[in-house]
Amino acid sequence: MPDDKAALVKMGIGASGAVFYGLTLNEWVALATLVYLAMQIGLLLPKYWKLITTWVKERQQ
């Protein structure tokens, strides 16, 4: 246990906070990337849906 605390002090506050929650820095970056990707999909999906429905309506006329 003392070795773990010493390692956390050496890594710094940011890295120790990431390890404290049980996730490594790589896992935090992957999680942030997935959240960002989901937000982008959520924002772009309605835009493309409107574009496609407009195109279909114009083709039917």
Side-chain angles (χ1 to χ4, degrees):
M1 187 72 163
D3 292 334
D4 293 338
K5 289 181 182 178
L8 289 176
V9 170
K10 290 179 184 177
M11 287 191 315
I13 295 171
S16 65
V19 172
F20 178 72
Y21 287 110
L23 298 174
T24 65
L25 185 58
N26 292 339
E27 291 169 338
W28 278 109
V29 170
L31 185 62
T33 302
L34 291 174
V35 168
Y36 179 76
L37 181 64
M39 289 174 25
Q40 289 298 315
I41 290 170
L43 290 172
L44 290 176
L45 201 59
K47 178 182 176 181
Y48 287 128
W49 181 258
K50 183 178 179 182
L51 182 70
I52 291 170
T53 55
T54 303
W55 179 76
V56 168
K57 287 179 183 177
E58 289 176 358
R59 296 270 303 178
Q60 289 177 351
Q61 292 178 357

